[in-house]
Amino acid sequence: MTDKTIFISADHGLSIVYFLQTDVLPTLLESGARVVVLTDDGIRDQIAAKFSQPNLIIEGLRFRQCREYFEKNDHSLQYWMHFLRWMGGSNRINTNAMDGHLRQMAHEASPRGKRLMPLIRGLTYVLRRSRLARQALVNFQRRYTPNIYGDLFEKYQPSLVVASTPGWRWDRYLLREAAARGIPTAAVIVGWDNPSSYRLPGAPVDWITCWSEIQKQELVLGSDWKPERVHVGGIPSYDGYFRGTWKMSREEYFRLHGLDPNRKLLSYACSFVTFSPNFANIRALAELVHQDALAEPTQLLIRLHPNHFQPGSLYEQEANRVRELIRGMPHVHLVEPVPLGGELGYYSGEDMPEKASMMAYSDVFLTVYSTMVVETAIHDRPIVSVCIDEPGGWNTPGKFSLSLQEIGEWPTHLRFRAAGAGRVAYNAEQLKDILNLYLRAPETDSAQRRKFIQDECTFTDGSAGWRTGTFLRSLLERGEA
């Protein structure tokens, strides 16, 4: 038993699920620890009311103060350090995802940014090949350590600070302050593609826990983590899938969206909208369904991406275009959730029953290589990654577009394809053929899906939350990094 205090940074919807809606929190509290969760100030009271229990305290993450410090203290230097940490991981692992972001930056940068790009590319080249250069960058950034959370450190005297990234987001300031005070720090990997898409830590972090041996190798080889400092604990957020905790009944779910129980359900989760429109994928699917052109009578449920709700954006325009397309298509429906609030956006913990039920009852699930290919494989449903390009991409001056057909070599995308956990469609004809295959024989690729989940999630018995909580508790009780 311990009477120590742990700080947990839950700075987005997925981290709310990871820490507060799994066995991670109960495992920590059962040890006698006091847990202080820091989250978006805009929903602090809402989170406190929903998860209220002894020894759990909710405080604000002070995003406004973080932004002010970032903007007023050598803003350009901090900005480019952040970018170099992102792009500058070792080339000992697949860098294709980072290369896509580098191309985007070169295309969308301001005139001054474009002038700096040769230097940035040169520094990226060096960082990817020199561990000493990477260490120098990580050490240099420590000079930007504000005192945003000083009063909270003094008030609660934490023995451990845990964040949902190793300082890739605003959590870098909290973690830097902890390190400056000599307090041990740890991070968890919330997202499937995080270790391959974001690289160098934004703060000194002593320990990290990840999903699998695959992610551990990405952290060790790509981001210079010491193997003994990387723990494989599985993915707590998926315990509810393995246990069936969140799943509604089929009747309830179909009634929620006005679905026809006599038609097969196709579900499409929009993805990758930052780089490329989803519209061509949606149009091809909607037309196949509306025209009853498949082997079975079907209906389509389209899950919009969080970016589709950004006011005035290209993505919002695409969402409106989708709404217009499906008008008059009675068997095509949209999922449009209500946001949690604050800055945590859409599709947070409130969305888990919706998401779990959509995957569980889909006769075929479709997306563009999103993390939901992993989640759907847990439910053993057929999966299709649809990569039909919209001619010209976004067709907007200054906006970078990347062909969906180019992204298959990105690390997580490559693993999905190599595992044979699903199929990939590059045009409407291929899409139709794959859908008909899965509609006629849904057991196709089932063995590959099960192997894929074992490799990516490690623990498939719903124990990841307990395992991760136990690991964090051991760090708390150890009392030293």
Side-chain angles (χ1 to χ4, degrees):
M1 298 291 287
T2 178
D3 58 358
K4 294 180 179 179
T5 296
I6 179 173
F7 275 10
I8 291 178
S9 169
D11 63 351
H12 53 82
L14 291 178
S15 60
I16 293 290
V17 178
Y18 189 104
F19 290 116
L20 296 180
Q21 295 180 239
T22 68
D23 289 338
V24 173
L25 179 62
T27 302
L28 292 170
L29 292 175
E30 285 167 7
S31 72
R34 178 173 62 170
V35 179
V36 179
V37 172
L38 294 88
T39 193
D40 182 356
D41 297 76
I43 61 166
R44 174 184 165 187
D45 292 342
Q46 181 182 339
I47 294 294
K50 180 171 182 178
F51 297 101
S52 176
Q53 55 188 297
N55 280 336
L56 174 63
I57 300 166
I58 309 298
E59 292 283 1
L61 268 171
R62 305 178 180 179
F63 289 150
R64 180 180 60 80
Q65 293 95 318
C66 291
R67 285 195 192 87
E68 287 178 354
Y69 181 82
F70 179 66
E71 291 168 359
K72 295 179 180 180
N73 293 270
D74 294 339
H75 171 72
S76 292
L77 184 55
Q78 286 202 70
Y79 174 87
W80 287 111
M81 279 197 302
H82 172 75
F83 186 74
L84 287 169
R85 286 198 314 268
W86 184 12
M87 297 294 109
S90 170
N91 63 1
R92 290 183 295 174
I93 70 169
N94 185 329
T95 65
N96 281 316
M98 295 187 299
D99 294 341
H101 289 286
L102 189 60
R103 289 169 59 190
Q104 181 186 30
M105 174 58 70
H107 185 88
E108 295 183 357
S110 66
R112 181 173 180 272
K114 289 182 186 297
R115 291 194 295 272
L116 285 172
M117 282 311 297
L119 173 62
I120 298 303
R121 287 186 181 277
L123 291 172
T124 298
Y125 180 90
V126 173
L127 287 165
R128 290 187 179 181
R129 290 159 177 81
S130 169
R131 181 170 186 155
L132 288 177
R134 295 192 294 272
Q135 289 176 336
L137 174 62
V138 170
N139 290 331
F140 180 81
Q141 68 188 350
R142 296 185 68 173
R143 67 181 57 196
Y144 295 100
T145 301
N147 190 36
I148 295 171
Y149 305 100
D151 60 319
L152 296 181
F153 280 107
E154 293 299 326
K155 180 178 179 179
Y156 295 110
Q157 297 292 312
S159 299
L160 176 69
V161 176
V162 179
S164 56
T165 81
W168 292 329
R169 295 160 61 91
W170 294 126
D171 55 6
R172 60 187 179 268
Y173 294 135
L174 176 69
L175 291 166
R176 288 178 198 171
E177 286 191 42
R181 292 170 178 267
I183 300 169
T185 56
V188 305
I189 296 297
V190 173
W192 182 40
D193 65 344
N194 287 175
S196 60
S197 297
Y198 306 90
R199 290 296 177 83
L200 304 181
V205 181
D206 299 307
W207 303 88
I208 194 164
T209 180
C210 62
W211 300 23
S212 64
E213 288 293 335
I214 296 171
Q215 286 193 344
K216 180 174 181 176
Q217 286 302 302
E218 290 177 329
L219 291 165
V220 171
L221 297 178
S223 305
D224 303 321
W225 282 87
K226 295 179 180 178
E228 63 271 20
R229 295 279 173 161
V230 182
H231 174 258
V232 176
I235 170 62
S237 306
Y238 293 176
D239 283 352
Y241 294 146
F242 289 115
R243 297 172 181 171
T245 304
W246 293 306
K247 188 170 65 174
M248 305 178 196
S249 70
R250 186 176 187 272
E251 293 74 17
E252 181 184 4
Y253 187 69
F254 273 50
R255 186 167 57 249
L256 176 66
H257 293 296
L259 300 173
D260 184 343
N262 298 312
R263 282 182 169 260
K264 300 288 188 180
L265 177 60
L266 311 180
S267 294
Y268 178 82
C270 294
S271 175
F272 230 70
V273 295
T274 304
F275 283 117
S276 184
N278 274 233
F279 190 77
N281 290 345
I282 293 170
R283 180 174 53 209
L285 273 168
E287 289 176 352
L288 287 171
V289 169
H290 185 58
Q291 296 167 8
D292 274 331
L294 296 169
E296 300 274 356
T298 57
Q299 56 198 325
L300 174 63
L301 189 59
I302 302 166
R303 177 183 170 91
L304 295 175
H305 190 277
N307 284 353
H308 281 132
F309 300 94
Q310 294 180 12
S313 67
L314 285 172
Y315 318 128
E316 183 186 55
Q317 293 174 28
E318 179 177 66
N320 289 333
R321 193 179 175 197
V322 170
R323 293 185 185 101
E324 183 62 30
L325 169 72
I326 69 173
R327 189 171 301 176
M329 294 184 175
H331 298 299
V332 182
H333 311 263
L334 286 182
V335 176
E336 300 194 55
V338 176
L340 179 60
E343 299 186 27
L344 299 191
Y346 294 76
Y347 299 132
S348 62
E350 303 297 313
D351 184 57
M352 298 309 285
E354 159 66 44
K355 187 162 65 165
S357 303
M358 183 184 72
M359 292 182 289
Y361 301 123
S362 292
D363 291 282
V364 184
F365 176 83
L366 308 100
T367 185
V368 186
Y369 294 116
S370 80
T371 304
M372 290 184 73
V373 301
V374 181
E375 297 166 84
T376 303
I378 293 172
H379 294 85
D380 197 19
R381 308 310 300 153
I383 306 163
V384 185
S385 184
V386 192
C387 299
I388 303 174
D389 285 313
E390 183 77 5
W394 285 109
N395 284 307
T396 300
K399 172 61 180 169
F400 177 71
S401 296
L402 180 65
S403 167
L404 294 177
Q405 300 193 29
E406 293 184 38
I407 63 174
E409 297 300 314
W410 289 28
T412 51
H413 308 175
L414 181 60
R415 297 206 301 268
F416 169 76
R417 293 193 303 112
R423 307 294 172 103
V424 183
Y426 298 106
N427 55 57
E429 292 74 22
Q430 289 179 354
L431 177 60
K432 181 178 179 179
D433 290 342
I434 295 169
L435 284 171
N436 283 336
L437 168 67
Y438 279 144
L439 288 170
R440 292 186 178 115
E443 71 282 0
T444 302
D445 301 327
S446 180
Q448 292 90 326
R449 291 193 289 270
R450 289 194 297 272
K451 176 66 163 55
F452 178 58
I453 288 307
Q454 186 66 60
D455 291 344
E456 298 292 343
C457 299
T458 307
F459 302 107
T460 61
D461 58 356
S463 68
W466 172 80
R467 292 174 185 275
T468 300
T470 299
F471 169 70
L472 296 176
R473 186 172 66 190
S474 74
L475 300 182
L476 190 66
E477 293 171 346
R478 186 176 311 184
E480 59 183 6

